[in-house]
Amino acid sequence: MNKQLARKSAKDTNTIVQIGDVQIGGREIVLIAGPCAIESEEQLITSGNHLKQSGVSILRASAFKPRTSPYSFQGLGIEGLKMHQKAQKEHGLLTTTEVMDVRLVDIASEHVDMLWIGARNMQNFDLLKEIGKSKKPVILKRASSATVEEWIQSAEYIMAHGNPNVILCERGIRTFETSTRYTLDLGAVAVAKLLTHLPIIVDPSHAAGRPDIIAALCKAAIAIGADGVIVEAHPNPKESVCDAAQALSLEEFHQIAEELRPIAQSVGRRLKC
Amino acid sequence: MNKQLARKSAKDTNTIVQIGDVQIGGREIVLIAGPCAIESEEQLITSGNHLKQSGVSILRASAFKPRTSPYSFQGLGIEGLKMHQKAQKEHGLLTTTEVMDVRLVDIASEHVDMLWIGARNMQNFDLLKEIGKSKKPVILKRASSATVEEWIQSAEYIMAHGNPNVILCERGIRTFETSTRYTLDLGAVAVAKLLTHLPIIVDPSHAAGRPDIIAALCKAAIAIGADGVIVEAHPNPKESVCDAAQALSLEEFHQIAEELRPIAQSVGRRLKC
Amino acid sequence: MNKQLARKSAKDTNTIVQIGDVQIGGREIVLIAGPCAIESEEQLITSGNHLKQSGVSILRASAFKPRTSPYSFQGLGIEGLKMHQKAQKEHGLLTTTEVMDVRLVDIASEHVDMLWIGARNMQNFDLLKEIGKSKKPVILKRASSATVEEWIQSAEYIMAHGNPNVILCERGIRTFETSTRYTLDLGAVAVAKLLTHLPIIVDPSHAAGRPDIIAALCKAAIAIGADGVIVEAHPNPKESVCDAAQALSLEEFHQIAEELRPIAQSVGRRLKC
Amino acid sequence: MNKQLARKSAKDTNTIVQIGDVQIGGREIVLIAGPCAIESEEQLITSGNHLKQSGVSILRASAFKPRTSPYSFQGLGIEGLKMHQKAQKEHGLLTTTEVMDVRLVDIASEHVDMLWIGARNMQNFDLLKEIGKSKKPVILKRASSATVEEWIQSAEYIMAHGNPNVILCERGIRTFETSTRYTLDLGAVAVAKLLTHLPIIVDPSHAAGRPDIIAALCKAAIAIGADGVIVEAHPNPKESVCDAAQALSLEEFHQIAEELRPIAQSVGRRLKC
């Protein structure tokens, strides 16, 4: 018997994931932003303080980095988690970080308010099960070659193991087109909204792999019905230890956030003041 | 020596294609709609009269249909062109139709206000050259496996042969995802806007292959900066001779058009009253 | 009523296309080779004389070149066709060339023994119809985004208009992989062999876009059941006016042809002595 | 400093992975076959005894199954590992199984002769590191959306953590084509052979998702230079608990193995007697 907890048929209303005083999936469009990787406590405090002024609710930053090459920077690890938690006392935003290793789900959960599962781990089923048991709010990124059905089935894994606090995230699929790093599949967001009651956010940074179309992709994401966006923004993009090519400066992000306000209103949503 | 007429570098301002009193590429978002195929004069008059009330400027309908199977309906041909022209006297909208055969460019140009080149013919270079010589305003659909660069190079063919009145149209690319017929690549619209001064419109109907996400795709298209949309709408979708699965009714289209108005305003554009 | 002339169900035996004394689809694996574009009569004679020694039956060379940019070399046109025919008197091989323009089907048919339809024109339905009427043996290349079903339906167009002499050709599909220009889909050859009685050949040159894996792709093509290969080989690859990156020298091709002989035998086929 | 242990530049000769008395990457083409999932000790003994007669060296069978849905059969787990080891005493073949969870690398290594990393875990970097430390021979399947470069970089992770016994496995990539479940990218095998000294095998079963082209794909794999194939074969395919659609019967596999013998010889290789 398939329970299919993630499907529209399982619930009368759309799921709102509550994290502290922030609701994802409600009327408010949630802005999540921050640097690719945790580099220092100061970097996180600077980022958090600026992004707070732009209406951001949740600071993203990775302590563990999935890198194609074993010789690329792999993240600060547990030291990074501690920095994330300490910086939070200064900037006051909620926090999120990626978890990749089943053995680190507990410790990561203790240091941040929300986890995320990266695209490469969308079908790391043991990780899905472990996060299912943890109950921690979690963003589930769509794998770059996953169908919408497979993406929702991965959410089902987390829910079937006890965790209803799943937020789906579209971040681009692999296609032949090379002008963007991945092809952002906004149609998949529209389709997924018909199939599931879970909140859906969009990551334009990893999809684009370039900063100059991120504003446009954010606008389209909100217009199509996404519940939020997750964007890479760095105090000094050129010196970012990773993904420097796609990161926005904090000032550029501020400008984009302002441009999103009228779009949100035009579809009956709002941004945080 | 590469002239690269289609590139931003060739002109200081964006191109506005003027067709009668309609401008594509200006402040106004242009709505193009109509049935997949021309079936009768009455069908065109009914469609045109309704769609006019929804702010549509240009009636689309095919006399020549590119069909995967030789045994599917191939269109009414030149008789269809004549119907398109006669119906226009009743409804008063501008008209557009697809041309596939180099030998029919002239006769098609005589019967409609704008041509379009379908995705399957984006690299039918002899057709591009022939339409280049004709000077007729033309929509150039992106092939389902064309890169943004190849799409712009196909526009360059038309322009290099003398016709500057080219409108690019994104209509979805082939990917592994099967919940939509093609994957609408809105990121490509954003990238193309950085590379070319030509107007760009979006065809959500062929990309989606299903009616229930067309409103969402139209909203995203306008939010990302498209200059218009081209949508299949039929007086009686279930009886459409082709593409019945994706066509909207005229009433459904009217509802969508109303929803697009605030989006257009939120990005500093407007729809026709 | 669907006739489905191209399907296995339409015939008890596999089709053998006879061109002069060459059979495509019989026990013999047919080698087709030659330069990308016709450059001169001398180039064709040199190529033909060498390739003949390597077991090649048919000399390929284009008079009309489909090029992404309008400013790239477009081919020698009808002059090129004449060269192809004149050179044939010297080298004695059969000849084939690409035709793109419906208006040139007749003249091309007069100058060569076999036509081919390039990948970009696989769904140029007017061209398919015109070649259908011509009865000329024709290679139908699979479009880079066509499914196996669509490919066979395009063959059906040619056959439905009267021409049974169709040879399918797999030449790579568009995928995310960038180490080859296209991804050669040999599985599609195996599937198509189950669906159609038509001969199927493979073009490794356009798929690979690099010379160093062409031998390997030819071997795999023959092992999987292809009836022949069509390969770009040029008297002086570095000076080829197009596709220089992928062309083999005539000597390199000779070496490859020798390596194919045992593979052909291992699957119960043979190469021309 | 990038060590790039997996690259041709790192070694003068190709790597041969030795497992018991079997060499992968040497002159002999290695046949790996067996059921999708471990169902019982009897199933493994029957499979092993039959497959041994067909020249198979290594019995594949999964104790842990990566399944899209959490409600599908997840495998017999550690009980399955024990069955694999016990059955080996009867049939005498070497054994291999998939490992997905970093916490199970050690126990899996104790029960089988070789591990494999499934396509979904190709970029589960913590798993790569853990298997790197284990030194156990391991098959690394290419993710369905991984480039050749990313695939080799994942091998580099395993090698950089101390394990040189890596065998690459191509098992199909995600494309738009639906007649096969994935598109087997044999060109990638040819390219990878130019880049790395590691052995490369091919999995036609998961690529095809259908039994009727597996013989053809195996032939092409060997012709293109693969060092072996890994094929799903089951004593009773219709009753297989998973992947029933693509499994061959043991008799069908035997027939295919016979057909591969002359192909191997034609490229200077041999199958086990």
PDB file of all heavy atoms in Angstrom, chain C residues 70-81:
ATOM      1  N   PRO C  70      25.507  32.295 -41.353  1.00  0.00           N
ATOM      2  CA  PRO C  70      25.352  32.643 -42.779  1.00  0.00           C
ATOM      3  C   PRO C  70      26.663  33.103 -43.405  1.00  0.00           C
ATOM      4  O   PRO C  70      26.747  33.203 -44.626  1.00  0.00           O
ATOM      5  CB  PRO C  70      24.330  33.785 -42.760  1.00  0.00           C
ATOM      6  CG  PRO C  70      24.431  34.382 -41.395  1.00  0.00           C
ATOM      7  CD  PRO C  70      24.796  33.247 -40.474  1.00  0.00           C
ATOM      8  N   TYR C  71      27.672  33.374 -42.572  1.00  0.00           N
ATOM      9  CA  TYR C  71      28.932  33.873 -43.095  1.00  0.00           C
ATOM     10  C   TYR C  71      29.966  32.767 -43.271  1.00  0.00           C
ATOM     11  O   TYR C  71      31.080  33.013 -43.697  1.00  0.00           O
ATOM     12  CB  TYR C  71      29.461  35.003 -42.205  1.00  0.00           C
ATOM     13  CG  TYR C  71      28.390  36.040 -41.933  1.00  0.00           C
ATOM     14  CD1 TYR C  71      27.962  36.301 -40.636  1.00  0.00           C
ATOM     15  CD2 TYR C  71      27.772  36.720 -42.984  1.00  0.00           C
ATOM     16  CE1 TYR C  71      26.960  37.220 -40.385  1.00  0.00           C
ATOM     17  CE2 TYR C  71      26.766  37.646 -42.744  1.00  0.00           C
ATOM     18  CZ  TYR C  71      26.362  37.887 -41.435  1.00  0.00           C
ATOM     19  OH  TYR C  71      25.362  38.789 -41.204  1.00  0.00           O
ATOM     20  N   SER C  72      29.605  31.521 -42.924  1.00  0.00           N
ATOM     21  CA  SER C  72      30.499  30.391 -43.176  1.00  0.00           C
ATOM     22  C   SER C  72      30.327  29.928 -44.625  1.00  0.00           C
ATOM     23  O   SER C  72      29.309  30.178 -45.257  1.00  0.00           O
ATOM     24  CB  SER C  72      30.163  29.220 -42.231  1.00  0.00           C
ATOM     25  OG  SER C  72      30.349  29.596 -40.894  1.00  0.00           O
ATOM     26  N   PHE C  73      31.318  29.224 -45.122  1.00  0.00           N
ATOM     27  CA  PHE C  73      31.305  28.665 -46.474  1.00  0.00           C
ATOM     28  C   PHE C  73      30.024  27.856 -46.720  1.00  0.00           C
ATOM     29  O   PHE C  73      29.711  26.948 -45.957  1.00  0.00           O
ATOM     30  CB  PHE C  73      32.544  27.766 -46.628  1.00  0.00           C
ATOM     31  CG  PHE C  73      32.628  27.029 -47.926  1.00  0.00           C
ATOM     32  CD1 PHE C  73      32.763  27.713 -49.134  1.00  0.00           C
ATOM     33  CD2 PHE C  73      32.568  25.638 -47.952  1.00  0.00           C
ATOM     34  CE1 PHE C  73      32.850  27.016 -50.332  1.00  0.00           C
ATOM     35  CE2 PHE C  73      32.663  24.941 -49.158  1.00  0.00           C
ATOM     36  CZ  PHE C  73      32.799  25.634 -50.347  1.00  0.00           C
ATOM     37  N   GLN C  74      29.290  28.187 -47.761  1.00  0.00           N
ATOM     38  CA  GLN C  74      27.991  27.568 -47.996  1.00  0.00           C
ATOM     39  C   GLN C  74      28.041  26.462 -49.057  1.00  0.00           C
ATOM     40  O   GLN C  74      27.004  25.914 -49.430  1.00  0.00           O
ATOM     41  CB  GLN C  74      26.968  28.635 -48.418  1.00  0.00           C
ATOM     42  CG  GLN C  74      26.861  29.837 -47.476  1.00  0.00           C
ATOM     43  CD  GLN C  74      25.934  29.602 -46.291  1.00  0.00           C
ATOM     44  OE1 GLN C  74      24.819  29.116 -46.459  1.00  0.00           O
ATOM     45  NE2 GLN C  74      26.387  29.923 -45.086  1.00  0.00           N
ATOM     46  N   GLY C  75      29.201  26.163 -49.541  1.00  0.00           N
ATOM     47  CA  GLY C  75      29.324  25.118 -50.558  1.00  0.00           C
ATOM     48  C   GLY C  75      29.404  25.705 -51.961  1.00  0.00           C
ATOM     49  O   GLY C  75      29.041  26.858 -52.181  1.00  0.00           O
ATOM     50  N   LEU C  76      29.877  24.878 -52.910  1.00  0.00           N
ATOM     51  CA  LEU C  76      30.057  25.357 -54.287  1.00  0.00           C
ATOM     52  C   LEU C  76      28.774  25.291 -55.102  1.00  0.00           C
ATOM     53  O   LEU C  76      28.741  25.719 -56.250  1.00  0.00           O
ATOM     54  CB  LEU C  76      31.153  24.542 -54.986  1.00  0.00           C
ATOM     55  CG  LEU C  76      32.562  24.687 -54.412  1.00  0.00           C
ATOM     56  CD1 LEU C  76      33.553  23.865 -55.243  1.00  0.00           C
ATOM     57  CD2 LEU C  76      32.992  26.160 -54.393  1.00  0.00           C
ATOM     58  N   GLY C  77      27.710  24.731 -54.535  1.00  0.00           N
ATOM     59  CA  GLY C  77      26.420  24.713 -55.219  1.00  0.00           C
ATOM     60  C   GLY C  77      26.437  23.842 -56.461  1.00  0.00           C
ATOM     61  O   GLY C  77      27.104  22.789 -56.498  1.00  0.00           O
ATOM     62  N   ILE C  78      25.723  24.289 -57.487  1.00  0.00           N
ATOM     63  CA  ILE C  78      25.567  23.463 -58.683  1.00  0.00           C
ATOM     64  C   ILE C  78      26.910  23.183 -59.354  1.00  0.00           C
ATOM     65  O   ILE C  78      27.135  22.099 -59.905  1.00  0.00           O
ATOM     66  CB  ILE C  78      24.548  24.121 -59.637  1.00  0.00           C
ATOM     67  CG1 ILE C  78      23.153  24.042 -58.968  1.00  0.00           C
ATOM     68  CG2 ILE C  78      24.515  23.416 -60.991  1.00  0.00           C
ATOM     69  CD1 ILE C  78      22.088  24.883 -59.620  1.00  0.00           C
ATOM     70  N   GLU C  79      27.829  24.144 -59.253  1.00  0.00           N
ATOM     71  CA  GLU C  79      29.186  23.875 -59.763  1.00  0.00           C
ATOM     72  C   GLU C  79      29.784  22.650 -59.075  1.00  0.00           C
ATOM     73  O   GLU C  79      30.456  21.831 -59.689  1.00  0.00           O
ATOM     74  CB  GLU C  79      30.106  25.088 -59.538  1.00  0.00           C
ATOM     75  CG  GLU C  79      29.932  26.202 -60.549  1.00  0.00           C
ATOM     76  CD  GLU C  79      29.955  25.661 -61.979  1.00  0.00           C
ATOM     77  OE1 GLU C  79      30.974  25.061 -62.372  1.00  0.00           O
ATOM     78  OE2 GLU C  79      28.927  25.815 -62.675  1.00  0.00           O
ATOM     79  N   GLY C  80      29.524  22.554 -57.794  1.00  0.00           N
ATOM     80  CA  GLY C  80      30.028  21.408 -57.031  1.00  0.00           C
ATOM     81  C   GLY C  80      29.406  20.103 -57.512  1.00  0.00           C
ATOM     82  O   GLY C  80      30.090  19.075 -57.635  1.00  0.00           O
ATOM     83  N   LEU C  81      28.119  20.141 -57.787  1.00  0.00           N
ATOM     84  CA  LEU C  81      27.460  18.941 -58.313  1.00  0.00           C
ATOM     85  C   LEU C  81      28.123  18.468 -59.603  1.00  0.00           C
ATOM     86  O   LEU C  81      28.338  17.268 -59.822  1.00  0.00           O
ATOM     87  CB  LEU C  81      25.983  19.225 -58.610  1.00  0.00           C
ATOM     88  CG  LEU C  81      25.027  19.426 -57.433  1.00  0.00           C
ATOM     89  CD1 LEU C  81      23.619  19.674 -57.962  1.00  0.00           C
ATOM     90  CD2 LEU C  81      25.038  18.199 -56.524  1.00  0.00           C
TER      91      LEU C  81
END
